[in-house]
Amino acid sequence: MYRLGVLISGRGSNFHSILKSVNSGFITNAEIVVVISNKEDAKGLNIAKENRIDAVFINPKDLSRQDYDKIVADTLIKYRVDFVILAGFMRILSSEFIKTFENRIVNIHPALLPSFRGLHAQRQALEKGVKFSGATVHFVTNELDDGPIVVQSVVPVMDNDTEDSLSKRILKTEHRIYPLAVKLITENRIKIEKNRVICDTEGLDDEFYALNPKEFGR
Ligand code: GAR
């Protein structure tokens, strides 16, 4: 059973969707052992506490990025975490942290990467006038919002969309693809070859094929 550490900065709805998938048995081979936030008032910390998961606020005040990340890494190591799940964690990680958990950090981004990296991805999509956007779960490398892609979802952008309405549409799909990505990774179905994630789909059911239709040849 793999041990997951989740890093958040706010609402924690992606963390919650993964937790629900662990509890429902959709994620079969992992448990969430700790949730860490850089914001004391992050709502996600309450969700953790309500579910009897250790919730840790680590204050970044007066700390360099390296020192802060070292404390976070030491905490994750103390909890014997196998995978680090970034779920709305709004800090850039140091290269030391990324090296410590090489190929074991995943992130979700509210756009179809490599488009619209960085902050306000939904606003960037509206400003560019794209007709489709979506969400991406990817392994974390030293490049911001880069790294091998595990799962993506696509949503249409409507003429009357606001940043808020588009964000809501994307978030709904985030709550489907993040648990799916965590399931695939923790069932050891994933291989990284150069920059590509190759997935063993043997025995996967409708949830997987809803996102990766069979007619596309998977
Ligand atoms: C999500 O939309 C996630 O994709 C985004 O922050 C939100 C967190 O929501 N992450 C990023 O923009 C990272 N670059 P949540 O706290 O409810 O999961």
Side-chain angles (χ1 to χ4, degrees):
M1 181 77 80
Y2 287 117
R3 298 168 67 83
L4 310 179
V6 183
L7 306 192
I8 61 167
S9 297
R11 187 173 51 187
S13 70
N14 276 292
F15 150 55
H16 202 189
S17 74
I18 294 168
L19 176 63
K20 284 192 265 189
S21 297
V22 169
N23 291 342
S24 74
F26 177 67
I27 291 172
T28 55
N29 196 30
E31 58 181 331
I32 299 173
V33 294
V34 64
V35 175
I36 297 173
S37 172
N38 63 322
K39 300 273 186 202
E40 194 165 20
D41 58 356
K43 290 210 172 66
L45 286 177
N46 298 331
I47 301 173
K49 286 179 205 150
E50 283 157 16
N51 287 278
R52 297 204 185 77
I53 295 171
D54 283 4
V56 183
F57 161 57
I58 302 181
N59 193 345
K61 196 166 179 285
D62 299 332
L63 292 174
S64 68
R65 184 179 308 287
Q66 275 71 20
D67 288 349
Y68 183 78
D69 286 5
K70 176 83 172 67
I71 297 171
V72 175
D74 287 347
T75 308
L76 292 165
I77 289 165
K78 191 182 93 190
Y79 277 90
R80 292 181 286 116
V81 157
D82 299 296
F83 289 100
V84 182
I85 310 295
L86 307 183
F89 186 64
M90 302 312 264
R91 286 176 61 93
I92 293 172
L93 293 166
S94 61
S95 52
E96 291 86 349
F97 185 98
I98 293 169
K99 189 148 189 26
T100 304
F101 296 98
E102 200 173 3
N103 288 340
R104 294 189 294 137
I105 310 170
V106 275
N107 181 44
I108 189 153
H109 185 75
L112 286 172
L113 290 175
S115 290
F116 313 133
R117 295 173 167 141
L119 292 174
H120 308 301
Q122 302 93 335
R123 191 187 303 168
Q124 293 183 55
L126 287 172
E127 282 170 359
K128 266 290 172 205
V130 294
K131 298 297 182 195
F132 293 92
S133 191
T136 304
V137 180
H138 65 97
F139 285 101
V140 171
T141 60
N142 279 317
E143 293 295 317
L144 179 66
D145 295 326
D146 201 40
I149 290 170
V150 186
V151 187
Q152 290 187 303
S153 58
V154 181
V155 306
V157 180
M158 309 298 194
D159 290 351
N160 60 356
D161 261 335
T162 60
E163 197 177 339
D164 188 51
S165 63
L166 179 60
S167 299
K168 282 193 177 127
R169 192 173 309 120
I170 292 174
L171 189 66
K172 239 181 167 171
T173 71
E174 292 184 42
H175 296 161
R176 292 184 64 201
I177 66 169
Y178 217 173
L180 177 61
V182 171
K183 176 185 172 72
L184 298 176
I185 292 166
T186 55
E187 286 182 0
N188 302 317
R189 291 174 178 275
I190 295 292
K191 256 191 328 197
I192 303 175
E193 288 181 1
K194 299 212 176 116
N195 204 38
R196 295 184 73 187
V197 168
I198 310 297
C199 179
D200 169 11
T201 58
E202 178 81 32
L204 287 174
D205 64 8
D206 297 350
E207 180 69 16
F208 179 80
Y209 288 107
L211 290 154
N212 298 272
K214 281 187 174 140
E215 56 268 32
F216 293 165
R218 276 196 96 138

